[in-house]
Every structure is written in structure tokens, then in C-alpha cells.
């Protein structure tokens, strides 16, 4: 019997149960809706337009986007290089010695350029491996966002092309020709970014901070620079490092004749540009670029990519292709040319390969 003499009818019990079920349905459906909304909102964050490409393991990266951010990185790094040099606050110090015993210089320009370039590329493409000449200090980390905009000249010449993120290696040279930088020989200084896919250089960016000139090219894509039309294979102008001019001159003159011109210069980026049609008065012109000793890959990767994109060649002194994976050094020296018989050039310089290992 119900308390207080109240009798519960079957109809009242049914109404009460229906009300209880309604309350439970309301609560549970709200929970489900919240979970569904969370799921729907979470999905775009993993693949939406604001998420950097290649952010997930096994993802893909668009080479056109990577070219665009590489151009921006080289330019931003160049701004730091120029600012430090013009402010005369280099704080130059020796960071070690080359295999030849020469001191390698490190300046504030190297470090600030490296930080700006590395973190811009890393923020845009976090899943891509980045190798840089200078050590990246995690305590000095900064966020350098990219708005994902692509310059019009790149849009017009380059089509989107996706490759697996794990196949990509980016090589940064935040300040090429540091020795010349300390001597205020500004024309030789460049900042460079190279993108290699499966070890082959496919994107190259070479930026000259003190003239704001930037050359870029993508293999099987396009470029904003061209090869020069006039070359002389019989008596070529050979551009070499300032410290190597004596090593190359005697062999080169014996090989090509006494009229061969040897051009001593600083910076691997500058030397590659000397083979191309660069609209600058202080850019020297050469037919062949030769380096006879060990050289780091971040020094030559961008130039190698640019030459490949334009139909040129950069190989070791024995004609082997240079792979941009594994170690950061190239042991076999190099010879670079464009619109010339590259194989014939190699065959004419057999003695230089021995010199490259000294």
C-alpha cells in the first residue's frame, strides 16, 4: 500500500517512467552531441589549411610550397646577415679548423641567420629533416610562422608536386663565405637553401643579402634564372676558392693552355652563380667551377640543384654524382659546368682527383 493512503495508478506509473526516460535521453544525447562535435572539430586540425604539410609521420609535402618557404627563409636569413655586417657587430671567433689547417670563422651573422632560417622551415614543415651548418640551440628556439602564401612568379612557373616527407632532406647554409664576410668582401656572401629528395638535389635557392638578388630553381619545374649563352671549352675561365688558386692553376694551364683564366673567389654559392646569367655588375663570369678538397654538402647542394634544373652538372672530380644523404661532407672535390661537355672536362683533369684527398 502506498504511504499516506496514496494509490498509484498504472497510467501514472507509465507517465512517470516516460518522463524519466526523457530526462535520461536528453542527458545522454547531449553527451553524444558533444563528443561528435569534438570529433568533427578535431579532424580539420590535423589536415586543415592552417596545419603545416608533412606534420604527421608518413605525410606528404608539396615541393612548390617548400620552394616558396625556402626562398623566404634565405631572404630572412640574409636580412640578419646584412644587419649584423652593417652594424659591425660580427663578434667573430674561430669555431675550429678545416682539414687544410685554416681557421673557420663563426660570427653573430651566422648564428642569427641560422636561427631565423631553421625555425621558419621547421615551423612550416616539422616532419622534414633539416641539416644546417650551424648547431641549433633548443634553448634559443623561436616561432617563425609562415602564412603559406606563394609568390606569383613561383605560382606561374611551378606546379604543385607532393612527395613523402621522409624522402626529403633540407640543407641550410645560413652564411656562405664567412671568411670573406669578416673581411667585408660582401659580393661573395650568400645564404642558401637546398631540398633533396631521396638524396638528389631538386630545389636550390641562392640569395645575395647585400644586393637582394635571389636565384631559385626546381628540377623538372622551373626557375627565375638562366644559363649564359657563351662559353669557351678550349680556354675556359675556371673559378676556384681563393685558397686553392695555386693548386689548380698549374694543372689547369697544362691541360687547357696558357690562356686559361683562373678566377679566385669566395663562397660556393657565388661560384655557381658565376656560371649563370646573373644581372649584377659585381658578379664575375666563369665557365667551370672546380674545388679540389673536401667540402660540406650545405655549401654545394643549392648550387647543384640550380645547375641540374638548368641542364648543368656538378659531380666529384671523377664524375660521380653527389648524394645528399648520410654524412655532411663530400670527399671527392667537385667540378661544375653548364652547356659544356662535362665528361670531356673530367677526362682532361685526371690529376686533380688526387689533390682532393690532401
Amino acid at each position: 500500500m502506498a504511504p499516506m493512503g496514496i494509490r498509484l495508478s498504472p497510467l501514472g506509473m507509465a507517465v512517470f517512467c516516460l518522463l524519466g526516460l526523457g530526462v535520461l535521453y536528453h542527458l545522454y544525447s547531449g553527451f553524444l552531441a558533444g563528443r561528435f562535435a569534438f570529433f568533427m572539430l578535431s579532424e580539420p586540425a590535423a589536415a586543415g589549411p592552417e596545419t603545416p604539410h608533412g606534420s604527421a609521420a608518413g605525410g606528404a609535402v608539396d615541393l612548390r610550397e617548400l620552394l616558396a618557404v625556402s626562398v623566404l627563409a634565405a631572404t630572412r636569413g640574409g636580412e640578419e646577415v646584412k644587419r649584423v655586417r652593417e652594424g659591425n657587430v660580427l663578434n667573430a671567433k674561430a669555431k675550429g679548423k678545416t682539414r687544410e689547417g685554416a681557421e673557420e670563422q663563426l660570427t653573430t651573422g651566422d648564428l642569427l641567420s641560422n636561427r631565423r632560417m631553421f625555425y621558419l622551415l621547421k615551423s612550416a614543415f616539422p616532419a622534414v629533416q633539416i641539416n644546417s651548418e650551424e648547431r641549433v640551440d633548443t634553448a634559443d628556439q623561436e616561432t617563425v610562422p609562415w602564412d603559406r602564401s606563394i609568390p606569383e612568379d613561383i605560382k606561374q612557373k611551378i606546379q604543385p608536386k607532393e612527395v613523402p616527407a621522409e624522402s626529403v632532406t633540407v640543407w641550410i647554409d645560413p652564411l656562405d663565405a664567412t671568411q670573406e664576410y669578416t673581411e667585408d668582401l660582401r659580393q661573395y656572401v650568400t645564404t642558401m637553401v637546398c631540398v633533396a629528395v631521396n638524396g638528389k638535389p631538386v630545389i636550390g635557392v641562392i640569395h645575395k643579402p647585400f644586393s637582394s638578388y635571389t636565384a631559385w630553381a626546381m628540377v623538372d619545374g622551373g626557375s627565375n634564372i638562366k644559363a649564359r649563352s657563351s662559353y669557351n671549352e678550349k680556354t675556359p675561365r675556371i673559378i676556384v676558392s681563393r685558397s686553392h688558386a695555386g693548386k689548380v692553376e698549374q694543372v689547369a694551364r697544362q691541360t687547357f693552355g696558357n690562356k686559361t683564366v683562373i678566377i679566385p673567389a669566395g663562397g660556393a654559392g657565388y661560384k655557381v652563380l658565376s656560371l649563370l646569367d646573373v644581372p649584377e655588375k659585381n658578379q664575375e663570369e666563369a665557365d667551370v667551377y672546380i674545388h679540389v678538397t673536401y667540402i660540406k654538402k650545405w655549401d654545394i647542394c643549392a648550387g647543384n640543384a640550380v645547375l641540374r634544373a638548368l641542364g648543368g652538372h656538378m659531380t666529384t672530380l671523377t664524375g660521380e654524382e653527389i648524394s645528399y644523404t648520410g654524412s655532411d661532407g663530400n670527399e671527392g672535390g667537385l667540378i661544375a659546368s653548364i652547356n659544356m661537355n662535362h665528361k670531356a672536362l673530367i677526362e682532361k683533369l685526371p690529376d686533380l682527383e688526387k689533390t682532393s684527398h690532401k
Side-chain angles (χ1 to χ4, degrees):
M1 180 177 292
M4 304 293 293
I6 298 174
R7 174 180 277 176
L8 297 176
S9 68
L11 179 61
M13 289 289 292
V15 171
F16 180 81
C17 289
L18 286 173
L19 288 173
L21 287 173
V23 170
L24 290 173
Y25 172 80
H26 177 73
L27 292 172
Y28 189 65
S29 63
F31 171 77
L32 287 177
R35 295 300 297 170
F36 180 74
F38 175 78
F39 173 79
M40 293 300 291
L41 290 172
S42 297
E43 283 301 303
E50 297 302 319
T51 301
H53 285 213
S55 59
V61 297
D62 181 0
L63 290 180
R64 184 171 74 165
E65 289 190 349
L66 195 44
L67 169 59
V69 75
S70 295
V71 170
L72 182 61
T75 304
R76 293 278 180 85
E79 291 171 358
E80 297 296 326
V81 168
K82 183 179 180 181
R83 182 175 62 83
V84 170
R85 177 67 266 185
E86 292 183 342
N88 199 28
V89 286
L90 275 63
N91 297 319
K93 60 182 180 180
K95 67 175 181 179
K97 290 190 176 183
T98 66
R99 290 189 178 184
E100 299 166 285
E103 284 192 346
E104 287 190 285
Q105 296 291 308
L106 178 67
T107 70
T108 301
D110 292 90
L111 297 175
L112 294 181
S113 174
N114 183 68
R115 184 176 68 179
R116 181 62 57 88
M117 293 173 70
F118 179 87
Y119 285 115
L120 174 57
L121 287 159
K122 199 64 179 176
S123 296
F125 294 93
V128 167
Q129 178 181 339
I130 300 176
N131 296 336
S132 179
E133 179 174 9
E134 307 305 337
R135 187 175 63 86
V136 178
D137 189 350
T138 54
D140 201 24
Q141 182 174 349
E142 66 173 308
T143 301
V144 186
W146 178 45
D147 62 5
R148 313 207 74 77
S149 63
I150 299 176
E152 284 301 317
D153 60 339
I154 294 179
K155 277 185 179 180
Q156 292 173 6
K157 296 179 180 181
I158 307 294
Q159 295 299 314
K161 181 180 180 180
E162 290 195 342
V163 296
E166 61 269 21
S167 70
V168 175
T169 305
V170 177
W171 296 84
I172 298 174
D173 193 341
L175 201 169
D176 190 40
T178 299
Q179 181 60 47
E180 287 74 17
Y181 182 66
T182 63
E183 297 173 20
D184 209 14
L185 299 174
R186 304 184 184 194
Q187 72 272 23
Y188 297 128
V189 176
T190 62
T191 58
M192 296 187 285
V193 180
C194 176
V195 176
V197 178
N198 294 321
K200 295 183 178 181
V202 297
I203 289 174
V205 180
I206 304 175
H207 175 68
K208 300 181 77 173
F210 297 102
S211 65
S212 300
Y213 174 77
T214 306
W216 59 260
M218 178 172 160
V219 175
D220 297 328
S223 68
N224 72 341
I225 188 171
K226 298 179 180 179
R228 293 200 332 274
S229 57
S230 60
Y231 295 88
N232 190 335
E233 288 197 47
K234 293 183 179 179
T235 56
R237 292 164 293 181
I238 300 177
I239 194 164
V240 299
S241 294
R242 296 161 70 205
S243 59
H244 297 168
K247 292 182 179 180
V248 177
E249 183 171 5
Q250 184 177 0
V251 174
R253 292 191 189 281
Q254 290 174 352
T255 304
F256 297 107
N258 291 328
K259 293 183 179 180
T260 302
V261 177
I262 303 297
I263 305 172
Y270 178 88
K271 297 185 188 84
V272 168
L273 291 178
S274 74
L275 308 180
L276 307 174
D277 186 12
V278 176
E280 293 199 324
K281 294 181 180 179
N282 66 350
Q283 175 66 58
E284 295 169 283
E285 294 182 354
D287 301 310
V288 182
Y289 165 28
I290 293 176
H291 188 87
V292 296
T293 60
Y294 173 87
I295 191 169
K296 293 296 182 68
K297 291 178 180 177
W298 42 66
D299 289 317
I300 59 176
C301 187
N304 198 341
V306 171
L307 288 174
R308 286 187 70 223
L310 298 176
H313 301 275
M314 179 185 288
T315 65
T316 66
L317 294 172
T318 57
E320 297 176 359
E321 296 294 331
I322 302 168
S323 175
Y324 294 90
T325 57
S327 69
D328 60 12
N330 171 51
E331 297 281 355
L334 70 85
I335 179 169
S337 68
I338 189 167
N339 288 347
M340 298 183 73
N341 188 332
H342 193 76
K343 184 177 180 181
L345 288 171
I346 294 168
E347 291 173 350
K348 287 181 178 180
L349 299 170
D351 294 333
L352 288 178
E353 196 276 334
K354 297 177 183 179
T355 310
S356 71
H357 297 291
K358 292 181 179 179

